[in-house]
Amino acid sequence: MLFKQWNEVDEPRHHLDSPTAFGNEDSLQEASLPGLEFPQIDWSHYTKVFFTTAIMEPLFPKTLLNTKKLGDIKAVLTLNGNPPKADSHSWNFEENFPNELNPEERISSTSFTFLTPVVAFGDTLLIMVKENFLKVSPIIYNQLANELVSGIICGAQAQEQELRVLGTSDRITELKSISDKRSDLRPPEFVTGFVGSILTQLIVNRLPFQGLIAPSEGATGFEKMSMETVPELIDICNEWIALDLENYKSECYRQCRRDGAATGSLSGLYI
Amino acid sequence: MSRTLLIPLVSTGNVPQLTADLVLHSLSSEFHFIESLDSTHLHPFVGPLDYVFEQQEPVLFSKFAPEKTYSTALELFYNDSRSLYVIQQRTPVIQGYLNNFVRDVICPLVGKLRITDVVILDSFGALDEDIVANTSRTSKTNNFYSDALCQVRSVGDVVREMEAGLHLNSPSLSSNIANTLFQFTTDSVQQELSTRQQAFKFAYHLLNSPFPQFQRIKYCSAFVHEGDNSYDAHLLCDHLTNVIDGFKKITKHTPPVSWKGVYGSRPVPTSFDEGIYI
């Protein structure tokens, strides 16, 4: 979780960055929750479901696994509050670092759409969320996880499905294995982001699951994993995903190098 | 008999959370976990169960939820001997969703548990401009705390006035309303509740919910310097005897293991030979 340690700001650190600066801080009215639309998929047809974030993309090489896209989960968040005042101080990244982003891309609309593709290979479903703490409010991850788990997975004979969660945390120093029955996490370690939302729902709904939490560094959506972590992840995922694919590992390494996901400081310290 | 719900707001230095930790873990033989509350409006969080170092197992959870392996962002605990419910909130409310959180999670809980007293724990520092602006009247006090009481039955007129026309951008009107809602003690650092404070929204929505048994909202805020968090939590924990009716002082504070390495876990050094770092 990002607690502004890199910003030279005189703001208390429990005030987190928010992507879509709501204008309703003074309001006493409830804000609208994101609306979700799911594609027509026979969820019970698949025996394995992976929940993860985009940093794990190299573990699912498209051509080798022969993945096919089944559709998009569409989340639409409509804000009815007033935009923030021009003279007030803002923690908007785009204002603090105006050179980093194209000013043409400034968000002017009050409606935000967030798409998450649902991908399948063999008997496995893959739901991989592209997080971005600058642009996507965590309410979208929460709502997505709520409806995915309590609405869809629970209704699709979840007890017979193998649910797998792959996530990262900047609060741990080594790869941790987790499941519904036991956890390698020790206080004060924790998981946040979309994977945190999914785990919350799996725990609250008492669904069996297995998973891995890998150490990472960086803000939500821009994490980096170290060169030590990636081989461990690939080894375990090789057992989970592709028992009979000989070149799975080499293809994963190739994807990692291509994405710069595993190269750590070699690819630059800054995002 | 009063039934109290303690709500720690996520605020400066996370002092209310740390105080809730101290209450729960120091009295872990009396408290037990009840349920994970809906955390849709909070930043996501999943972590392992917290426990006190000397304990073999997380006793807060093991009595009534032995199968529990993880903590979530919002959990409810109960102490039968003190009729005290405690919420532990581990992450901030997502920006823009505080009203949803109070109306959809806290208010129904107050009704369901038949709570008579809601105690809101808060903290603020020199950087919280909205609050600091309301402290000038008693800037000479040596007290670090602000205690306030809102008697629910006496505020009917105020609530009607708010409903009739609430102009939140007008500082004079809003501070007047907030001032009449809560009666602060004379030695409090804060003398008014700003409409921009989280506690104001809690009060507003609770007062607008029809609970026949609901009697009081108590507000307790500590002035802290961000950084020396845990020592402030020890002090606020001792101060709870002034806030919660019949709450006996906790003689031995036992922080959970998650505090290990928290900045400011030792008292502030008073001389150079104790070292200059906290």
Side-chain angles (χ1 to χ4, degrees):
Chain A
M1 187 176 281
L2 187 68
F3 280 107
K4 289 182 182 301
Q5 61 271 44
W6 45 267
N7 265 3
E8 291 178 5
V9 293
D10 54 357
E11 175 91 345
R13 277 175 294 176
H14 67 279
H15 293 185
L16 295 186
D17 281 306
S18 182
T20 53
F22 270 78
N24 72 342
E25 285 303 284
D26 287 337
S27 169
L28 292 165
Q29 301 300 317
E30 291 190 62
S32 57
L33 289 168
L36 288 173
E37 288 171 32
F38 286 89
Q40 290 290 329
I41 296 171
D42 180 8
W43 300 84
S44 59
H45 179 68
Y46 298 91
T47 56
K48 278 188 207 165
V49 184
F50 275 89
F51 298 103
T52 187
T53 55
I55 190 176
M56 300 294 180
E57 198 166 3
L59 298 174
F60 302 92
K62 283 179 191 160
T63 33
L64 190 71
L65 295 177
N66 196 18
T67 60
K68 64 171 191 272
K69 186 175 165 181
L70 303 179
D72 283 316
I73 303 171
K74 187 178 178 190
V76 181
L77 176 61
T78 308
L79 304 181
N80 42 16
N82 300 320
K85 282 176 252 164
D87 59 340
S88 64
H89 190 70
S90 159
W91 302 114
N92 189 344
F93 183 88
E94 296 178 29
E95 290 171 26
N96 289 338
F97 302 94
N99 298 331
E100 301 286 322
L101 289 148
N102 181 1
E104 302 288 317
E105 289 177 358
R106 269 180 188 283
I107 301 162
S108 55
S109 115
T110 52
S111 179
F112 302 88
T113 304
F114 181 70
L115 295 176
T116 302
V118 181
V119 171
F121 54 92
D123 61 350
T124 306
L125 270 182
L126 171 63
I127 294 165
M128 189 188 291
V129 169
K130 274 194 174 21
E131 289 181 291
N132 184 337
F133 85 102
L134 297 173
K135 296 192 172 172
V136 186
S137 172
I139 195 76
I140 289 188
Y141 310 138
N142 281 348
Q143 196 71 353
L144 181 60
N146 281 0
E147 297 203 17
L148 258 178
V149 174
S150 55
I152 288 176
I153 305 294
C154 281
Q157 299 148 340
Q159 300 297 329
E160 292 160 25
Q161 276 177 326
E162 289 179 36
L163 305 177
R164 300 271 158 87
V165 182
L166 290 175
T168 58
S169 169
D170 60 356
R171 300 293 159 137
I172 58 177
T173 51
E174 57 187 11
L175 197 65
K176 303 267 182 176
S177 139
I178 54 169
S179 74
D180 53 315
K181 298 202 168 52
R182 61 175 296 279
S183 154
D184 286 348
L185 295 169
R186 296 284 168 265
E189 297 164 348
F190 65 86
V191 184
T192 184
F194 171 69
V195 171
S197 302
I198 277 287
L199 286 174
T200 301
Q201 289 304 317
L202 294 175
I203 292 161
V204 170
N205 288 291
R206 299 182 179 207
L207 293 175
F209 67 91
Q210 283 189 303
L212 290 172
I213 304 297
S216 69
E217 285 182 34
T220 310
F222 302 91
E223 304 97 336
K224 296 276 180 196
M225 288 191 290
S226 75
M227 287 293 268
E228 289 79 39
T229 307
V230 172
E232 286 184 69
L233 266 179
I234 291 176
D235 278 346
I236 296 173
C237 286
N238 191 25
E239 294 170 22
W240 280 0
I241 295 169
L243 284 167
D244 51 345
L245 292 175
E246 279 183 16
N247 49 354
Y248 173 77
K249 282 189 188 182
S250 59
E251 182 63 17
C252 285
Y253 280 117
R254 202 175 71 80
Q255 296 290 337
C256 284
R257 281 194 294 275
R258 202 195 65 181
D259 286 8
T263 46
S265 58
L266 292 177
S267 62
L269 181 61
Y270 299 102
I271 299 158
Chain B
M1 188 181 166
S2 66
R3 291 161 76 84
T4 306
L5 174 66
L6 183 72
I7 305 174
L9 304 182
V10 177
S11 49
T12 304
N14 301 319
V15 175
Q17 273 68 48
L18 296 172
T19 306
D21 263 353
L22 272 184
V23 172
L24 291 171
H25 290 280
S26 302
L27 303 174
S28 58
S29 57
E30 298 177 23
F31 275 98
H32 65 264
F33 168 79
I34 298 210
E35 61 174 333
S36 289
L37 300 172
D38 178 15
S39 57
T40 304
H41 310 105
L42 308 183
H43 283 262
F45 173 96
V46 165
L49 302 182
D50 215 352
Y51 59 97
V52 174
F53 189 67
E54 298 87 20
Q55 292 169 351
Q56 300 300 313
E57 56 178 9
V59 296
L60 260 181
F61 302 91
S62 54
K63 278 174 280 184
F64 290 92
E67 77 292 346
K68 195 169 165 60
T69 317
Y70 299 92
S71 276
T72 52
L74 196 68
E75 290 181 330
L76 179 68
F77 300 86
Y78 181 54
N79 183 329
D80 192 29
S81 60
R82 299 175 190 235
S83 290
L84 175 63
Y85 288 89
V86 174
I87 285 179
Q88 181 55 296
Q89 182 185 338
R90 297 189 171 85
T91 50
V93 177
I94 296 168
Q95 192 187 8
Y97 287 91
L98 183 59
N99 293 308
N100 301 51
F101 173 64
V102 180
R103 276 181 67 167
D104 299 347
V105 180
I106 300 297
C107 290
L109 188 69
V110 169
K112 184 179 131 191
L113 301 177
R114 290 180 284 116
I115 296 296
T116 57
D117 295 17
V118 167
V119 176
I120 299 173
L121 285 188
D122 200 356
S123 59
F124 75 103
L127 302 174
D128 289 301
E129 293 169 6
D130 295 327
I131 309 170
V132 173
N134 291 324
T135 60
S136 55
R137 200 185 294 175
T138 52
S139 56
K140 286 175 186 164
T141 182
N142 290 324
N143 198 355
F144 284 103
Y145 304 102
S146 309
D147 296 325
L149 178 66
C150 169
Q151 292 283 2
V152 171
R153 286 188 187 135
S154 69
V155 297
D157 294 340
V158 180
V159 173
R160 272 194 288 280
E161 188 185 337
M162 288 162 81
E163 280 173 345
L166 186 64
H167 303 289
L168 290 173
N169 292 328
S170 158
S172 57
L173 179 62
S174 59
S175 62
N176 280 342
I177 287 175
N179 193 21
T180 50
L181 270 183
F182 279 90
Q183 294 297 318
F184 279 84
T185 56
T186 49
D187 60 346
S188 291
V189 185
Q190 240 181 291
Q191 283 295 314
E192 292 176 8
L193 194 69
S194 157
T195 51
R196 288 180 150 259
Q197 284 184 250
Q198 293 180 70
F200 178 76
K201 289 182 181 172
F202 276 79
Y204 175 83
H205 292 300
L206 284 169
L207 292 173
N208 277 292
S209 305
F211 304 126
Q213 81 293 341
F214 187 42
Q215 292 171 10
R216 282 173 289 267
I217 304 174
K218 294 175 178 175
Y219 174 72
C220 173
S221 174
F223 179 77
V224 300
H225 289 292
E226 192 167 22
D228 53 353
N229 313 359
S230 42
Y231 189 61
D232 284 325
H234 285 288
L235 296 175
L236 185 57
C237 188
D238 286 341
H239 184 73
L240 286 181
T241 51
N242 302 334
V243 184
I244 303 172
D245 288 341
F247 188 83
K248 291 185 200 114
K249 188 173 176 179
I250 299 172
T251 48
K252 190 186 175 206
H253 291 182
T254 48
V257 289
S258 63
W259 281 32
K260 196 179 165 192
V262 169
Y263 179 70
S265 56
R266 288 196 295 132
V268 181
T270 52
S271 60
F272 272 119
D273 60 327
E274 293 176 31
I276 54 171
Y277 298 106
I278 298 165

